[in-house]
Amino acid sequence: MKDKIERLIRERIQRETEAKTRRHFIKQCATGMGGLALGSIFAGCGDFLKDEQSVKKSGFSDRDLNPLATLAPPFGPKVKNVIYLHMAGAPSQLEMFDYKPELQKLNNQECPQSLLEGKKFAFIRGTPKLLGPQAEFKREGESGNWVSDNLPHFKKVIDEVAFLKAVHTDQFNHGPAQLFMHTGSPRLGRPSIGSWVTYGLGSENQNLPGFVVLTSGGKTPDAGKSVWGSGFLPSVYQGVQCRSKGDPVLYIDDPDGISRNLKKKTIDAINTINKEEYARYADPEILARINQYEMAYRMQIAVPEVMNINDEPENIKQMYGVEPGKESFANNCLLARKLVEDGVRFVQLFDWGWDTHGTGRDTAVDIGLRNKCREVDRPMTALLLDLKQRGLLDETLVVWGGEFGRTPMQENREGKEMGFKGRDHHGDAFTMWMAGGGIKKGAVHGQTDDIGFSGVEGRVSVHDVHATVLHLLGFDHEQFTFDFQGRPFRLTDVEGEVINEILS
């Protein structure tokens, strides 16, 4: 009896406390407001809400009903999809696109001190020697642009692309530089460019993610999965990593004995609990979780088909040089075409293994780099040709590049001459290229000095690259913002200008 009385006293005290405390008042308000929005959000989840008309009367937008609903950009876009090819580790522009005959004349001479003063390098110490180009260059195509013999296939499409020869970054270590290249900040916590695009435009295929990531080279980028994270945007907009080897997504198949109908009932039960949790806490991430369960359910049908390259015609497989059953850049390029063809908004390819310091054969610019070029040359050329022959290149933007470039000096780690030829990290000048809708074919913007150390004309920043990508998708990068922690954030931070010189 005494225990019951004490329990009643505790319950009374708790009720009085709840009625008086600010924390409980705010929680109840949040729950009430969340309850108003709750019904509208579940209308996009199939039969979770039967009375859809009552939801629409609540006044919420399609974005409330479905965060991946297709949206129109603020002004006329040139493209509607993006395929971003990132060479993780930073390829050497001096062995691929930025021809420097003067550097060849200065090969093995000591680097002038004027180039070293006040500069930071990852590994170079003391006075390194200049290293001439470790490849042969020729002018190709009607544009007469330079390309090295490391890329014999690429010359077929050189007239399709526009080069940026003087891109620069203030980051010289891989992790921060990759974050900067893909999120606009060298620090964790910002949304990736793919997340921004998916947030702004949604997806054209409700059975597939709006943002898909494919990796090759055996490892993920140094910055980890943050380079395709959603940062402070709802997590439904983060990149979904698929595999080109084995099941495209883990657990894509149901366990033995689990039918499709039973799986649906399971998701219904889980999301019933999620709805109750949202009613209590009004946490928007719960809404993202509900959408992700629904997307996963639909992906079980759509993903195996779109990620299957075995059914592609034999001539297409040969054009890309695919290896069914293996993880490869070639497979990923073909998958990228299939994904944008099926309405995926942003496809990100990361190919690891471009960090050519010269610490061994695999990282030498005259051996390892040449081998890496052979891995990507044919597939990335095939990707542009395939998109063009299908009429997709006019509505797709293809971007190629790394996180920074390489030095015109030979790396002398710890001040010692190394056994293989390598180049250190270099952010002062590197090459990127773009192709597709809205891009001026055969254009070249920017120029570096005689040895490729710094940009002397047409220097552009990472923010400028981002501004240009958003512009082609129909956004003003200065107006495309998301409110977080009391201020509007944007992909380009407080900088960035559209690179009009490469636009058609």
Side-chain angles (χ1 to χ4, degrees), residues 440-455:
K440 187 183 296 183
K441 297 180 179 182
V444 175
H445 179 61
Q447 181 180 336
T448 56
D449 57 33
D450 287 344
I451 64 171
F453 189 84
S454 296

Side-chain angles (χ1 to χ4, degrees), residues 111-121 124 126-128 409 453:
C111 180
Q113 288 298 316
S114 60
L115 296 181
L116 303 175
E117 293 173 358
K119 297 292 183 181
K120 292 182 179 180
F121 299 98
I124 283 178
T127 304
M409 302 86 75
F453 189 84

Side-chain angles (χ1 to χ4, degrees), residues 273-394:
I273 298 172
N274 284 332
K275 285 187 279 186
E276 293 174 356
E277 287 294 292
Y278 183 82
R280 290 180 62 190
Y281 301 111
D283 182 355
E285 281 302 299
I286 297 174
L287 305 178
R289 189 185 310 152
I290 291 169
N291 257 279
Q292 286 163 342
Y293 271 116
E294 281 291 297
M295 174 61 73
Y297 178 74
R298 296 193 298 270
M299 282 173 61
Q300 284 189 301
I301 299 298
V303 166
E305 180 179 351
V306 73
M307 297 293 289
N308 179 19
I309 62 175
N310 294 320
D311 294 339
E312 288 289 310
E314 198 60 37
N315 66 308
I316 295 295
K317 294 178 186 177
Q318 291 178 4
M319 183 168 71
Y320 282 89
V322 300
E323 301 175 275
K326 295 184 178 181
E327 178 191 81
S328 72
F329 182 77
N331 290 8
N332 290 349
C333 282
L334 177 52
L335 289 172
R337 187 271 292 167
K338 287 172 63 67
L339 288 165
V340 297
E341 195 172 30
D342 272 27
V344 173
R345 182 73 66 186
F346 199 102
V347 182
Q348 177 76 65
L349 272 61
F350 288 99
D351 185 61
W352 186 87
W354 293 86
D355 198 14
T356 47
H357 286 285
T359 53
R361 290 180 58 85
D362 289 345
T363 61
V365 290
D366 56 341
I367 305 172
L369 176 65
R370 182 173 288 268
N371 292 334
K372 285 300 296 182
C373 287
R374 287 172 180 163
E375 291 178 12
V376 305
D377 176 35
R378 185 174 175 182
M380 69 185 187
T381 301
L383 175 62
L384 295 184
L385 292 172
D386 199 12
L387 289 170
K388 186 176 181 179
Q389 72 181 4
R390 295 169 187 270
L392 294 172
L393 190 57
D394 289 338

